[in-house]
Amino acid sequence: MPISRLTVLFLLISTLVLGSCASSYQRLLKSTDVNKKYEAAVKYYDKGDFFRAGTLLEDLIPLLKGRPEAEKAQFYFANTNYKQRNYVLSSFYFKQFTDTYPNSEYAEEAAFLNSKSLFLDSPGFELDQTNTVSALESIQDFLNRYPESKFKAETESMAQELQKKLESKAFESAKLYYQLRYNQAAVVALTNFQQQYPASAFAEQAAFLRLSAQYAWAQESVESKQSERFKEAVSFYQQFIDAYPQSKSLKAAQDMYDVSQAQIIKLKATPRRHPTNL
């Protein structure tokens, strides 16, 4: 299908305009006129061209020290990184801004966006959660400083999501011990999980896995240790049915309880052998 003259003309004009804009921007980058450069950076920012605004502001910030525009320039520069999803950089620059201008009109928003940058940079629960912990600490600092903030609801929502991520990480780590049949370690990890996250969505599953791990540990133990470990399994069973009387795992839990009770009776009737520390 042939291209019309109008289309060709439009493309030509567009190319010329874009070329003119590009050359204008290149001239701004090389310019030593701080005022002109700052005005252009703000215009690019207001238009949503955060790449060009950020590039100009990065050059300008050292030149604006001591001037009234410096505060706004630093906030805008931090935000250009945030808008471009450079969350590690935006967090760094928002934190730097709040440290430099704690009483600024932008200070509260900068503190919030610092926390949100850390939140958005937090990895999936299966990865190392150091960044998640840092994000939660930042959020708590923000809420302590701005308890009535307009960002409070969103900040609390972010904190809840991060807590769920840490909760998932802790549960999956404890569950992994169980899957690998490191039963003693699984009992310890699952007990710690229950204590740390008593209202978790994984609480019932954690309680059942703890019982299962304790039961397996008792079975694989030397005879001199079995009685006390089966008794602990019975105790875990009782805690499980008290907390989750309608659980789908009741039958499996009951079977472990019955075997544990039978083993306790059997071991009590068996003459004691020489003690061992194994």
Side-chain angles (χ1 to χ4, degrees):
M1 181 173 158
I3 301 175
S4 68
R5 289 183 179 181
L6 187 60
T7 302
V8 171
L9 182 61
F10 173 77
L11 291 172
L12 181 60
I13 293 171
S14 297
T15 302
L16 289 172
V17 169
L18 289 172
S20 174
C21 290
S23 61
S24 174
Y25 175 67
Q26 290 301 322
R27 286 195 297 273
L28 279 168
L29 287 175
K30 296 174 183 177
S31 174
T32 56
D33 187 332
V34 174
N35 293 330
K36 183 178 180 181
K37 212 168 183 176
Y38 175 75
E39 289 172 9
V42 172
K43 284 181 181 178
Y44 280 128
Y45 183 93
D46 290 339
K47 289 178 183 177
D49 189 342
F50 299 112
F51 173 77
R52 288 182 177 178
T55 303
L56 291 172
L57 288 167
E58 188 172 18
D59 288 344
L60 279 169
I61 284 171
L63 305 174
L64 290 172
K65 282 185 178 178
R67 291 180 51 162
E69 299 94 333
E71 181 181 323
K72 187 175 184 178
Q74 287 196 34
F75 177 78
Y76 275 20
F77 177 61
N79 208 24
T80 61
N81 281 283
Y82 175 79
K83 294 294 188 180
Q84 293 176 85
R85 301 183 181 181
N86 299 324
Y87 298 126
V88 174
L89 288 175
S90 62
S91 170
F92 174 81
Y93 287 120
F94 280 128
K95 179 67 167 61
Q96 187 179 69
F97 178 88
T98 56
D99 289 344
T100 307
Y101 302 102
N103 299 316
S104 167
E105 62 178 301
Y106 302 112
E108 180 180 338
E109 186 176 1
F112 166 72
L113 289 173
N114 172 38
S115 295
K116 191 167 183 178
S117 296
L118 291 168
F119 166 77
L120 291 169
D121 190 53
S122 172
F125 75 85
E126 67 280 0
L127 301 176
D128 179 76
Q129 293 301 300
T130 301
N131 289 358
T132 301
V133 172
S134 296
L136 277 168
E137 289 172 351
S138 176
I139 285 171
Q140 190 57 58
D141 287 344
F142 175 81
L143 290 172
N144 289 342
R145 185 168 184 180
Y146 302 104
E148 303 302 325
S149 173
K150 63 182 179 180
F151 303 113
K152 181 178 180 180
E154 186 176 354
T155 307
E156 289 177 336
S157 177
M158 291 191 299
Q160 290 172 4
E161 189 170 334
L162 293 171
Q163 285 287 5
K164 287 179 182 177
K165 196 177 290 188
L166 291 180
E167 184 181 308
S168 296
K169 176 72 172 181
F171 176 71
E172 290 299 326
S173 296
K175 184 180 175 182
L176 183 60
Y177 284 121
Y178 175 79
Q179 291 171 330
L180 294 173
R181 299 176 64 86
Y182 297 155
N183 293 309
Q184 182 178 2
V187 170
V188 173
L190 288 161
T191 299
N192 290 339
F193 176 82
Q194 288 180 298
Q195 292 171 347
Q196 191 170 2
Y197 303 102
S200 169
F202 303 111
E204 179 181 337
Q205 192 176 354
F208 178 75
L209 290 180
R210 184 176 73 144
L211 165 60
S212 300
Q214 180 65 37
Y215 174 75
W217 183 26
Q219 285 189 312
E220 68 191 17
S221 297
V222 294
E223 188 175 303
S224 62
K225 297 288 185 180
Q226 283 185 319
S227 181
E228 64 181 271
R229 289 171 185 169
F230 276 120
K231 286 178 181 177
E232 192 71 5
V234 168
S235 174
F236 288 171
Y237 164 80
Q238 290 169 337
Q239 292 172 41
F240 178 75
I241 62 168
D242 285 346
Y244 310 104
Q246 304 301 319
S247 174
K248 294 178 180 179
S249 301
L250 279 182
K251 176 65 171 62
Q254 182 70 48
D255 290 343
M256 287 186 279
Y257 169 77
D258 291 342
V259 173
S260 295
Q261 287 285 48
Q263 287 295 104
I264 292 167
I265 294 170
K266 178 182 175 182
L267 289 163
K268 189 175 182 181
T270 302
R272 281 191 172 273
R273 298 180 181 180
H274 294 294
T276 177
N277 292 322
L278 296 177

